[in-house]
Amino acid sequence: MTANKYSILLPTYNERENLPIIIWLIVKYMQEANIDYEVIVIDDGSPDGTLDVAKELQKIYGENRILLRPRAAKLGLGTAYIHGIEHANGNFIIIMDADLSHHPKFIPQFIALQQSGKYDVVSGTRYQGDGGVYGWDFKRKLISRGANFLSQLLLRPNASDLTGSFRLYKKDVLKELISRCKSKGYVFQMEMIVRARQLNYTVGEVPISFVDRVYGQSKLGGSEIVQFAKNLLYLFATT
């Protein structure tokens, strides 16, 4: 039986302050848990020099641990994952944000749950157990809760957190799900879970604490919310 390897995909855009911290935390928790891993940094042409920082981190931690797979411009989250999967050596893929909103200390918990339940997907949830959100104002919490509630009502996905993006997938499962997803942006993560349910993939959940980004600007705006509503209705009509 071959040992498992975990490829962590980190799509980045203007994350030069956050990248050294998130990489250090990933290395720390993966080493402590004795887990074989690699981090694939997919930078979409950040003008702030994120890629230069990533090159320095690669010198520190080694090219076998930090892989740089940049792209010329912002081309969307779904295509970033496809790009990352093409370069991934692991049989499992972990996707997370590079802005410190997802803490790497939860990764060993994801892996332990996946192994115990043989899940196809393990998703971090802010809405179960001791999961939660920190640093958001009331409006952001209301939008997130409202989006999640509407999604649950219309789609019945058997998962408590549809819009989160901290997840562990079997590599072949992730490829299959991405090939079937039509959505872009904020709603992409939601469609992934809905398609997983459609295809009878098993989904486990680990409660996580989500912390609002420390440095830089949030990428969620009014246009994303309108897009989310449109896509939610599309998924309701087609699933």
Side-chain angles (χ1 to χ4, degrees), residues 62-214:
E63 293 184 10
N64 63 324
R65 291 292 183 209
I66 312 294
L67 284 65
L68 307 183
R69 299 292 180 263
R71 306 190 299 172
K74 284 188 85 170
L75 300 166
L77 206 51
T79 58
Y81 293 149
I82 293 166
H83 184 69
I85 292 167
E86 285 169 358
H87 298 285
N89 298 303
N91 55 329
F92 286 91
I93 306 285
I94 294 163
I95 59 172
M96 63 188 300
D97 294 344
D99 63 6
L100 301 177
S101 56
H102 298 147
H103 201 301
K105 69 182 178 184
F106 295 110
I107 294 174
Q109 295 177 38
F110 281 38
I111 292 169
L113 182 67
Q114 190 284 319
Q115 290 177 344
S116 67
K118 300 288 185 275
Y119 290 106
D120 297 306
V121 183
V122 174
S123 181
T125 175
R126 298 161 289 184
Y127 305 124
Q128 289 284 352
D130 54 4
V133 174
Y134 303 90
W136 275 5
D137 60 17
F138 180 71
K139 183 183 167 193
R140 274 299 292 275
K141 285 184 178 177
L142 194 64
I143 290 168
S144 179
R145 280 281 186 184
N148 211 55
F149 174 74
L150 273 176
S151 309
Q152 299 288 346
L153 196 66
L154 292 175
L155 305 175
R156 306 193 183 284
N158 300 328
S160 65
D161 191 345
L162 290 182
T163 54
S165 55
F166 192 1
R167 293 182 187 153
L168 164 67
Y169 294 88
K170 290 178 180 175
K171 187 200 269 183
D172 56 344
V173 169
L174 181 57
K175 280 183 176 176
E176 175 70 18
L177 290 173
I178 287 177
S179 74
R180 290 170 179 264
C181 276
K182 306 282 191 289
S183 307
K184 300 281 188 292
Y186 187 56
V187 84
F188 174 79
Q189 307 295 357
M190 182 175 73
E191 185 174 355
M192 294 284 277
I193 293 291
V194 173
R195 300 292 174 203
R197 184 210 61 186
Q198 266 190 325
L199 297 167
N200 293 317
Y201 288 134
T202 53
V203 181
E205 293 190 309
V206 170
I208 62 163
S209 45
F210 176 96
V211 181
D212 197 25
R213 62 163 43 251
V214 179

Side-chain angles (χ1 to χ4, degrees), residues 38-84:
E38 63 185 7
V39 181
I40 303 175
V41 179
I42 307 152
D43 187 62
D44 277 0
S46 297
D48 75 339
T50 298
L51 187 58
D52 293 330
V53 171
K55 286 174 182 172
E56 292 304 311
L57 293 167
Q58 190 179 51
K59 288 176 192 171
I60 294 167
Y61 297 109
E63 293 184 10
N64 63 324
R65 291 292 183 209
I66 312 294
L67 284 65
L68 307 183
R69 299 292 180 263
R71 306 190 299 172
K74 284 188 85 170
L75 300 166
L77 206 51
T79 58
Y81 293 149
I82 293 166
H83 184 69

